[in-house]
Amino acid sequence: MSAPTRTRRWLTICAAVTVSTLVGIPAGQASPGGAGKPFGARELADTARHRVQDARSTGARPFAAAEDGDGGEAADEIAEGAAQYAEARTSPGTLRPGAYTAAWNAMQALPQAGGRWRHVTKLPYDSDDPRYRDIDSNSSGGAGRVTGRTTALAADGDGYVYAGSAGGGVWRSSQGGGHWQPISDRLPSQSTGALALDGGRLWLATGEANTNADAYLGSGVYALSNPRYGAFTERDRVGGPELENTTIHQLRFAGGRVWAATSSGVWSHSSRTLTGAWKLEYAPNPDYLPGHPKASDPDAPYKNITNDVAVDPRHPSRVVLAVGWRSGDDYNGFYAKAADGSWQRLTTGLGDLPTAPDEVGSVTFARSADGSRYYAIDQSPTQLATNPDSSLAGVYVSRSGSPLGPWKRIADYQTLAKSGSALTDPGYMPGVQAWYNQFLQVDPADPEHVWAGLEEVFETRDGGANWSAPGPYWNFGFPCWSIDPSKRTGDCNATTHPDQHAVAVGRSHGRSYLYVGDDGGVYRRPTRGAADASGHATDWTSLNDGTIDTLQYYSVGVGQDRDFGGVAVNGGLQDNGQSILRGRDRVMGSNFGGDGGDTLTDPGNGCNIAQEYVYLALQVTQNCAVNDGSWLTDPSKATSYAVAPPDNRLGGAGARFIAPLAADGKDGNTWIAGGRHVWVQTHGYAIRSSDEWRNAFDLGAGHVATAVASSGGRVYAAWCGPCNNVGFARGIAVGNADGTGWHQLNLPVDGTVPNRYLSGFAVDPADADHVYLAVNGFSRHWTEGPGAGIGHVFESWNGGTSWKDVSANLPDAPADALLVLPGGGVALATDLGVVYRAPHRSGWEVVGDLPAVAVQQLKLGPDGKVYAATHGRGIWSVKAADLR
């Protein structure tokens, strides 16, 4: 969204940054956004002032969930951010299957560099930390302790709980939640699609299927025979390579078979004998599958998406498939087998459950333990395209117990909005992101007791006649809310983090519990829990105790902690704002809310911080944003300031979703920000206004910065435009921070530097003409597109006039960021870990034993350590001196 973020408490309005599956979904195919025009910084600033003035006179909280009134802004962000993350790894074409697995195997074969990683963020992260009641934080919202996005859950009757994360693997608790242990670190994919317990085994489907921007494809399905004590290895894979490079939404079991709803159709396999190939049961458009005639078509990734499988428990041969892309296609619908064995789309007989292709989108099924009920959630592509309030078609029940119905609708978004929801404003109501937020669970002890997860947690105990919202989006706006730091959420009770994805019911110490997973981790409450008069639960427990760290960082900053000693470490996160860890902290706090993009931190003073939200929406603080909430009645007491460069806006070519920001390597008061223009400001952390930025260079119409770096006033700015695989183009502009000497480098498509996304620079501190360049995506071996070329790291000694490929033995994996270390060594962050090239050597070595997790950024701290921001396993550090 756009600056200043103090116009609302973001948490999850952009939350998912969603729309495209990472690999193979081209930009331009994002889901339709709303109709509202984007807001610029001026409009939002004016709105903020009016909200604060209103709050001073009424005592109400000035920030609502949807600022623009019609929801268009949030939808535009979701669409654009998703496409951008994906295109960085796929342009200028589409990606053939097997790329990530091949890269992971190559990474395992690299020699080891010296040094051992230390897990910096393995401790609780409190989103309600009362120290940070600044106008830009979410503190007091009620989500409590959080971690990264949880996408799958499973629980048994003896206190064992299993949580699968978006990018940080699978975790086990033997105590009903908490005291977690990772159990999938030896797999090539740490992205979780589904978890299930069946036959004494824990089944893991890799590849997050939310089709969101920062999701990764999987390496197949695994079954762990001893889940209470064992850990997954590659030997546990079920079947062959058939499900590599897919995302998997659900695993369902019936009649001795396991069914997998994937991005490449519905597959099945024996659940008893785990060897042998998977069987493709149904793909609506098989010509678009890998290896088939239309596999390279830009629409191919959308043509075989399936969401769930429902099986009649009394007649396992009766199977219904939920098939379809959330933005709509003519193949969307529900399918069942005809008498001749073919799969046919159901067009009648389902009752209230829609059958038209433009009304069937993302779907989740759930059945009761006794087989007497089937429930379903359906998201409508038509509503996604036309209704700014919600894309939820409804919640449905089949009281015959058969997935063939007849089905009756028992809730729509208006019903849920009246049930105690925090989302009651036009433009952002329950189900507005129903294609991203979905779960459904029936109480095993009561077929009429159901939980539905959208942005919030909803519950009915009478089969849908009445609903409540035990897990509201947040507490802001409720009469019980207060910003008083002595009260963590005022007089409100704790709630869950928004954006629900996973659910399970299990027992621990003789009591039955509901477990939910969302963009903030894992939460628990009794299945027959208590609630207040509004229907909001009074007994949620956050299970994010710090032993599970699946935080998804985009960036990291490190500076000396002048108050407590040591260093202060902060970083921007997917949907969990910005974390801050100071020298004596045992719990991390959150001083900025929403999505956290790039970060600048003063090495000499870790409380001088600049934090990007998205699209260069930039806030700056000089006291770590410590505040007691006084800004609520006196705006002058806010301790952070909105200082977005003028290119900040919602979408367009102004700036990318996560836009580049850098401080000059020799002058920390000179900052470079990249949108369409290269912006420079020279007041450092004392900047107080967007007007203090000046335009150093115009990258050109349709061009937008992807990386910037500066040393001694020499500035490098990489750009793309168009940035998707339709006419993809990239380039580099070089000039001076004072606006002189700017020129575009000659980077022909068939030149040394590949025609792929340029993701990062590292400038030699001793010589500004000596620069390294990181190139994202995969080589032409995997990428079908013009000029994809080879190589991921390039070196220039003449300011970019000519380049040399220094990739040598690097795995063919997306390269995300570079760092030149004292003495001349070079560290490279990739989608699969960190590698290092020692001074005067040509070969690369892998650093330590991080899981196969994307590393988005590297920074050298004033303590001599290299800090790595991973997108799924938190922040780690290694002593630079130990690398050799």
Side-chain angles (χ1 to χ4, degrees), residues 389-403:
D389 294 340
S390 177
S391 67
L392 177 69
V395 183
Y396 303 82
V397 63
S398 169
R399 292 195 170 92
S400 70
S402 169

Side-chain angles (χ1 to χ4, degrees), residues 311-339:
V311 184
D312 188 331
R314 295 161 297 189
H315 305 282
S317 62
R318 296 180 185 173
V319 180
V320 174
L321 314 179
V323 176
W325 167 235
R326 63 166 177 254
S327 292
D329 206 325
D330 57 9
Y331 73 88
N332 282 25
F334 298 100
Y335 290 75
K337 271 193 177 180

Side-chain angles (χ1 to χ4, degrees), residues 404-419:
L404 295 171
W407 294 83
K408 179 178 176 59
R409 187 164 69 176
I410 54 176
D412 56 19
Y413 73 91
Q414 294 99 331
T415 301
L416 299 178
K418 297 175 183 177
S419 69

Side-chain angles (χ1 to χ4, degrees), residues 709-796:
S710 178
S711 181
R714 174 70 60 81
V715 180
Y716 295 87
W719 54 263
C720 63
C723 295
N724 57 45
N725 64 358
V726 181
F728 177 82
R730 77 336 181 203
I732 299 174
V734 180
N736 298 317
D738 64 6
T740 63
W742 279 92
H743 60 284
Q744 295 276 5
L745 300 181
N746 181 25
L747 294 178
V749 170
D750 58 352
T752 301
V753 177
N755 187 41
R756 304 202 309 271
Y757 184 92
L758 309 180
S759 53
F761 294 104
V763 185
D764 185 342
D767 181 359
D769 282 335
H770 182 202
V771 59
Y772 294 90
L773 171 68
V775 181
N776 213 292
F778 289 87
S779 74
R780 64 191 178 207
H781 178 78
W782 300 106
T783 303
E784 299 173 350
I790 59 173
H792 291 274
V793 179
F794 296 81
E795 182 178 19
S796 174

